[in-house]
Amino acid sequence: MPNPIAPILQPYREELITQYTRVFRTQMFTSRAELRPAEAMQVVGEEVAILLQETLSAEEAFARGQVLCQRGVSLQIITNLGRVTRQIILTGAEQSVGLSLLDIYDRYVNGVLEGYFQETEKLILSEQERIRGALQRAVGRYTIEIKEVQELAERANEANEFKSQFIARISHEVRTPLGGIVGMSEMLQHGIYGTLTADQKAILDRILNNAKNLNQLFSDLLAQAKIEAGQLHLNASPIVPKEIVESIYMNCLPLALQKGLALKTEIDPELPARILGDEIRLTQILSNLVINAIKYTHSGSVLVRVNKEPAQKWSLQVKDTGIGISPEAQAYIFEPYRQVEESFQGQESGIGLGLAIVSQLVSAMYGTITLQSRLGQGSTFTVRLPYQVVSVSERS
Ligand code: ADP
């Protein structure tokens, strides 16, 4: 069908294209056009040409709208096109002609919009379908992965439990005969089976020392296995800090004297005599620190201090005049199985679990451990813990 409006619009052709392009260019950067500016200009140009040269039936306009949609032209561009055209017609054509033109334009724009909407709807539906499929596949994969992770976690738990049980069994199997060795050696040492020669006594001392070290090693392994398996349970019963310090002092004094070291203790009289705590674990923390201090000190002293701190806290401090710890080593010595190579010359070393256990126990008690040390100038380990005073009813 020949375009009845084409001859009327012909004189305005240049003006229309210029207007479209100008308005469109200014709106391009503020509107939500999905095309790049150059592509959008081209589409606008095509639309103007269609309006000027052909008349599109509603179906053709509809098809045109679908094409525009497939090219990604946004709805806003199409409505802009209609609005700008109206302005030009109203200002550029005689009113009577303008009204019938508006009618044709409205049909054109409506047809285009309808095609656009339908195509957009189709696109949205197919996109929804695609997303639904992808989602189903992802959910399927996710379900399988969750199952796999659960199985792995179960297997890891079983392995961990097995490891803890295994270590507990081995520790028990080893510590029982070790207890026998220590006991019998002590009987020999005390002369129950007759007086020993100096050589025999020296050898017996070494047997006892090695047996005690082995015993410590297995009790560390057992404690670490328990912590890793989440089986560490703390008690809160009334304890007397002074008694804990004294018992550690008595146990460690022979070790210190053997090395010619002075072992001293200081207890803050301000600290309540009885507080709530886990005696076994507190003893483990303090004796680990004191044994280390003696182990890594060649001359001088080891001082154990227990203080009352502000804000319902108390501290256990072990200060030595030993070999000290370099800043690099300070960064890792609290990790399990980590040791400082240089410390071992001529030493009986452990397996690097002592400080890891101490720091994990301290954390479990909501406390902190800090270390001040310089190579060759000794070390000070300070454990700070919250405390609760034992109430009258708990004493009885
Ligand atoms: P280990 O069984 O080797 O003693 P620990 O975890 O108790 O394991 O200590 C880790 C490392 O930290 C030790 O190997 C030692 O090098 C260093 N260390 C611990 N305490 C001291 C200390 N008081 N003085 C110097 N070095 C220390």
Side-chain angles (χ1 to χ4, degrees):
M1 203 212 296
N3 181 354
I5 60 164
I8 305 165
L9 280 179
Q10 202 50 38
Y12 307 112
R13 185 184 153 87
E14 286 313 308
E15 190 195 343
L16 269 175
I17 293 181
T18 323
Q19 282 264 25
Y20 262 130
T21 316
R22 189 176 53 75
V23 173
F24 200 74
R25 199 189 299 275
T26 54
Q27 290 198 352
M28 197 54 222
F29 300 99
T30 51
S31 69
R32 198 176 40 81
E34 285 144 21
L35 293 180
R36 283 190 294 274
E39 286 172 49
M41 292 305 165
Q42 191 198 330
V43 171
V44 170
E46 282 171 22
E47 291 304 291
V48 177
I50 287 168
L51 274 169
L52 294 180
Q53 267 137 36
E54 309 154 34
T55 298
L56 297 182
S57 65
E59 293 75 40
E60 286 165 331
F62 180 87
R64 179 78 200 140
Q66 288 186 322
V67 171
L68 286 176
C69 173
Q70 282 158 7
R71 288 177 66 176
V73 181
S74 79
L75 192 60
Q76 204 164 358
I77 295 180
I78 296 169
T79 50
N80 273 347
L81 208 64
R83 209 175 62 230
V84 175
T85 314
R86 268 170 187 270
Q87 269 177 17
I88 293 166
I89 290 162
L90 283 176
T91 55
E94 284 174 29
Q95 258 211 346
S96 57
V97 183
L99 286 176
S100 59
L101 285 178
L102 278 182
D103 210 36
I104 295 169
Y105 283 120
D106 279 347
R107 272 198 313 211
Y108 171 77
V109 171
N110 285 343
V112 168
L113 286 182
E114 202 180 321
Y116 181 88
F117 282 137
Q118 283 205 7
E119 190 61 18
T120 307
E121 209 177 324
K122 262 201 298 195
L123 282 180
I124 290 172
L125 283 176
S126 78
E127 191 60 9
Q128 271 178 351
E129 206 46 48
R130 196 183 64 79
I131 291 172
R132 193 175 301 128
L135 214 65
Q136 270 167 0
R137 282 195 300 280
V139 168
R141 263 205 317 273
Y142 182 65
T143 316
I144 293 173
E145 274 166 20
I146 292 239
K147 243 181 110 196
E148 281 171 5
V149 169
Q150 277 171 342
E151 277 168 21
L152 281 177
E154 243 164 62
R155 286 223 298 275
N157 269 345
E158 278 168 20
N160 215 16
E161 222 163 86
F162 178 77
K163 187 185 84 179
S164 306
Q165 282 170 5
F166 179 74
I167 291 178
R169 214 173 48 233
I170 291 284
S171 301
H172 178 74
E173 294 298 323
V174 174
R175 286 170 77 192
T176 310
L178 262 180
I181 294 174
V182 171
M184 288 183 277
S185 305
E186 277 171 351
M187 288 199 299
L188 284 176
Q189 204 181 35
H190 292 132
I192 291 174
Y193 296 102
T195 319
L196 301 179
T197 65
D199 282 349
Q200 285 168 336
K201 220 173 161 323
I203 287 179
L204 197 60
D205 282 349
R206 288 184 59 187
I207 292 175
L208 257 173
N209 229 355
N210 284 332
K212 281 181 181 166
N213 281 342
L214 263 180
N215 204 24
Q216 181 61 40
L217 190 149
F218 278 98
S219 82
D220 280 356
L221 269 177
L222 185 61
Q224 180 64 19
K226 275 194 172 167
I227 291 172
E228 282 176 12
Q231 288 168 1
L232 173 74
H233 305 296
L234 294 172
N235 272 327
S237 42
I239 54 159
V240 180
K242 190 166 179 275
E243 283 175 4
I244 294 180
V245 174
E246 278 169 359
S247 121
I248 290 170
Y249 175 83
M250 292 311 289
N251 283 337
C252 296
L253 188 62
L255 209 62
L257 292 179
Q258 254 172 34
K259 292 188 75 176
L261 304 174
L263 180 61
K264 294 178 267 186
T265 60
E266 277 177 22
I267 301 202
D268 185 351
E270 294 288 308
L271 183 71
R274 274 168 175 262
I275 55 177
L276 285 182
D278 185 322
E279 179 156 354
I280 294 179
R281 299 307 181 188
L282 284 166
T283 305
Q284 198 170 7
I285 291 172
L286 193 57
S287 67
N288 255 311
L289 295 177
V290 175
I291 290 170
N292 270 353
I294 297 173
K295 194 154 81 174
Y296 299 107
T297 301
H298 303 314
S299 64
S301 60
V302 172
L303 171 63
V304 181
R305 264 203 206 118
V306 177
N307 279 318
K308 181 177 185 295
E309 302 271 333
Q312 286 282 102
K313 290 207 168 90
W314 64 304
S315 62
L316 300 153
Q317 194 173 64
V318 180
K319 186 176 163 75
D320 66 52
T321 55
I323 59 173
I325 302 166
S326 69
E328 300 79 57
Q330 287 181 32
Y332 62 74
I333 51 166
F334 291 100
E335 293 169 21
Y337 308 105
R338 295 296 298 267
Q339 297 175 299
V340 188
E341 293 284 326
E342 309 86 70
S343 328
F344 297 147
Q345 285 128 16
Q347 299 279 345
E348 287 159 12
S349 67
I351 49 171
L353 271 181
L355 287 181
I357 291 170
V358 166
S359 86
Q360 290 169 101
L361 287 176
V362 169
S363 303
M365 294 176 181
Y366 304 103
T368 55
I369 180 162
T370 51
L371 164 62
Q372 269 126 31
S373 183
R374 285 179 70 180
L375 265 186
Q377 295 187 21
S379 311
T380 305
F381 286 85
T382 310
V383 171
R384 282 194 179 80
L385 299 167
Y387 74 78
Q388 240 180 302
V389 184
V390 177
S391 62
V392 179
S393 59
E394 281 165 306
R395 281 182 200 213
S396 52

